[in-house]
Amino acid sequence: MSDFKPETRALLELGRGGDEPTDYEVLQNRRSLTSKLGAAAFGAGALLSATSKASAASASFFSTKLLMVCGAVVLGGAAALGAMYLENTPAPAQVTANDRLPARAAIVKREPSAPPSSTSAAQSALPDDVRTAKAQPVPARATTSARSLAARSIQEEFELIRAAQKHLHRNEPQAALQLLNEHARRFPGGALSEEREASKVFALCRMGNTSAARAQAKRFVLRAPKSPFVDRVREACGSGSQ
Amino acid sequence: MFRMSRAAPIGLRESELECSPPAEAVSRPLSFAEVYDAHVRFVWRTLRRLGVPDDDCDDAVQDVFLIVHRKLAEFRPEAPVKHWLYRITSGIARDHRRSRRRKDPKQHGLIPIPSSEEIADQNLQSPVDSAERSAAARLIRDLLQELDEPKREVFILADLEQMTAPEIAQVLEVPLNTVYSRLRRARSEFEEALTRHRKRDLGKRHE
């Protein structure tokens, strides 16, 4: 219903999705806010009604989930996983930033109806160490040593995944796959496992190994059906990677 | 810091979250964290589009949510939370524009070479595509600065956020006809600004 000339419409379709913050920026922002408002603001204390328990668990779970899907972004460096809100289809003009949200929100919003100990699909998508580690909300002043250990390990995961993605960008899928396999060896249940598995699909596609890519994609969708990467993984080698 | 509301629960429905809820969504009050997680990106991109410089966006987003946190208890559930957020956001954008002028020269004629951070960020999207998208977004924002604030707002909500006119009327608290007429003029001014830009751009290339 546009009054626009075609080139104006094209400009809008292209640029509409270009104002999004990266996941890294959002995470940094959230952390700054947390330190200004206190951890309680993002946790149980911020509740506005009497339905405390479920929401408390879910509120802290949200921050956990954000950490997981944003990977090791907490620790500086660029987001390895930025583009959940940016388009990554071959024709970016067709998809707006809002299209991605339902997949992500589906994960986020499932949690309130299921206590943290449930075995819903969203929960089982989490690697074990993240799930158990985050059974309690992290207090504002967690011990430095526990945190920095976890931080170092995520940092290393992050370096690996990011390096792999750089290889993919430079059209070096073999090198990418090597690093992704190393990640799988060193961090089998790591925080960035979802990112690794998704990246493997893309690497296999780029190598022309379509059947392996599709098999991997199938496994991925089974293991993490609510993952924000599901759509991209399915379409990775072109249509038909179901 | 924990507040038990004696009044009726705030009653922000899950359907107020930015995206369509899954089938099993249950209507229940939302927490500050949920409002943040659901709408922070909307707030961020709106601030950018309203002319807040990139460097200031992080602070501006925090300013918005500091207000949200303070006022969340007063929020009346009849209105969608996103509308309420927009009004806070545009107020903050105004403050930021007043207090700081953008000094960057307009660069939208150039396609910037993405840094390695940007490439990693786009997560396997072609570097050229994401650079083009960023350049397009930047051009749109620059062109928007040539519109006055009322027109800029309707344009952003209609043609970037893709809200319906009735929704925009609700958000901006203006009559529906005002939205239509403002939007018509906003679009034609935007087109004119784009034409001027293209002429300048062509002129530069022939230098």
Side-chain angles (χ1 to χ4, degrees):
Chain A
M1 59 125 193
S2 192
D3 311 318
F4 291 123
K5 294 184 210 156
E7 52 264 27
T8 316
R9 202 171 324 135
L11 172 67
L12 290 171
E13 279 173 6
L14 179 60
R16 190 175 284 134
D19 294 312
E20 300 292 313
T22 63
D23 282 351
Y24 176 64
E25 287 172 318
V26 170
L27 205 58
Q28 292 295 86
N29 184 272
R30 204 179 199 277
R31 294 180 79 206
S32 303
L33 255 185
T34 306
S35 63
K36 283 181 186 163
L37 290 173
F42 277 97
L47 286 187
L48 307 153
S49 83
T51 55
S52 330
K53 278 196 198 135
S55 305
S58 63
S60 59
F61 181 79
F62 291 152
S63 51
T64 302
K65 192 65 183 176
L66 189 64
L67 173 66
M68 200 281 280
V69 296
C70 296
V73 167
V74 179
L75 306 162
L81 318 162
M84 280 187 294
Y85 291 82
L86 294 176
E87 292 355 286
N88 38 52
T89 62
Q94 289 152 21
V95 185
T96 68
N98 285 334
D99 288 0
R100 276 294 154 222
L101 291 171
R104 190 159 188 261
I107 299 175
V108 166
K109 293 194 300 175
R110 265 175 74 81
E111 288 319 305
S113 50
S117 54
S118 84
T119 51
S120 66
Q123 272 287 342
S124 54
L126 280 180
D128 285 328
D129 51 7
V130 175
R131 205 189 318 161
T132 51
K134 295 298 178 180
Q136 307 284 333
V138 177
R141 284 184 222 121
T143 60
T144 332
S145 53
R147 260 174 135 198
S148 55
L149 265 177
R152 252 198 300 280
S153 141
I154 290 187
Q155 178 78 30
E156 286 167 27
E157 284 197 66
F158 172 73
E159 298 294 328
L160 269 177
I161 300 289
R162 189 178 153 192
Q165 291 184 341
K166 280 185 169 169
H167 280 301
L168 279 172
H169 272 294
R170 294 197 288 265
N171 208 22
E172 299 160 357
Q174 247 110 350
L177 203 55
Q178 233 175 347
L179 292 175
L180 294 170
N181 288 333
E182 186 185 333
H183 180 276
R185 260 192 326 272
R186 290 173 53 194
F187 308 99
L192 301 190
S193 299
E194 242 183 73
E195 290 71 17
R196 176 198 62 233
E197 295 300 311
S199 301
K200 268 172 105 172
V201 176
F202 307 134
L204 290 164
C205 283
R206 299 271 175 97
M207 283 166 61
N209 197 341
T210 314
S211 53
R214 291 203 177 139
Q216 170 79 3
K218 259 200 194 126
R219 271 196 301 274
F220 180 90
V221 173
L222 278 171
R223 275 201 231 129
K226 302 285 183 181
S227 165
F229 304 120
V230 154
D231 288 343
R232 296 182 50 210
V233 161
R234 275 210 188 104
E235 289 151 21
C237 290
S239 61
S241 6
Q242 295 288 333
Chain B
M1 179 100 52
F2 182 83
R3 266 165 88 187
M4 282 281 260
S5 173
R6 290 286 158 194
I10 296 302
L12 302 170
R13 305 286 177 244
E14 280 191 66
S15 55
E16 306 303 355
L17 292 176
E18 200 166 13
C19 22
S20 47
E24 68 266 33
V26 163
S27 181
R28 56 171 183 79
L30 296 179
S31 67
F32 173 76
E34 287 166 300
V35 173
Y36 179 92
D37 288 334
H39 297 288
V40 59
R41 285 168 173 79
F42 166 69
V43 169
W44 201 299
R45 62 179 180 260
T46 302
L47 286 167
R48 288 184 91 178
R49 290 164 176 170
L50 288 171
V52 176
D54 287 351
D55 292 344
D56 293 350
C57 275
D58 182 57
D59 283 338
V61 170
Q62 290 183 51
D63 290 345
V64 168
F65 282 99
L66 287 171
I67 294 176
V68 168
H69 185 257
R70 202 166 67 225
K71 291 193 167 178
L72 198 47
E74 304 164 15
F75 174 70
R76 283 180 353 265
E78 300 91 62
V81 65
K82 190 176 180 183
H83 297 185
W84 177 61
L85 278 174
Y86 177 84
R87 289 193 283 272
I88 299 175
T89 301
S90 69
I92 292 291
R94 219 171 288 133
D95 292 344
H96 270 259
R97 280 200 314 269
R98 257 189 237 126
S99 65
R100 173 158 165 183
R101 294 201 168 280
R102 197 147 56 122
K103 292 179 184 119
D104 311 338
K106 290 186 180 183
Q107 295 185 331
H108 47 67
L110 308 167
I111 301 225
I113 298 166
S115 66
S116 56
E117 264 71 36
E118 279 182 271
I119 291 176
D121 234 349
Q122 304 312 323
N123 197 20
L124 312 174
Q125 191 178 24
S126 145
V128 174
D129 287 345
S130 60
E132 284 180 349
R133 189 202 310 283
S134 296
R138 201 168 326 159
L139 171 56
I140 293 171
R141 290 197 298 270
D142 286 343
L143 295 174
L144 282 175
Q145 291 310 306
E146 300 186 34
L147 271 53
D148 65 32
E149 193 179 312
K151 293 204 200 74
R152 182 162 53 235
E153 284 197 311
V154 288
F155 189 98
I156 287 170
L157 293 177
D159 292 317
L160 296 180
E161 253 341 278
Q162 299 182 296
M163 287 185 183
T164 63
E167 197 180 355
I168 298 172
Q170 253 198 311
V171 175
L172 299 179
E173 295 174 316
V174 297
L176 185 57
N177 283 335
T178 305
V179 172
Y180 283 125
S181 63
R182 240 183 238 175
L183 185 56
R184 207 168 28 242
R185 279 178 283 134
R187 283 172 172 171
S188 80
E189 282 187 27
F190 185 85
E191 293 262 23
E192 286 163 15
L194 182 55
T195 307
R196 282 195 300 274
H197 159 74
R198 294 222 192 276
K199 286 200 179 129
R200 272 199 304 269
D201 217 31
L202 279 172
K204 278 196 200 116
R205 286 196 211 142
H206 291 305
E207 276 161 15

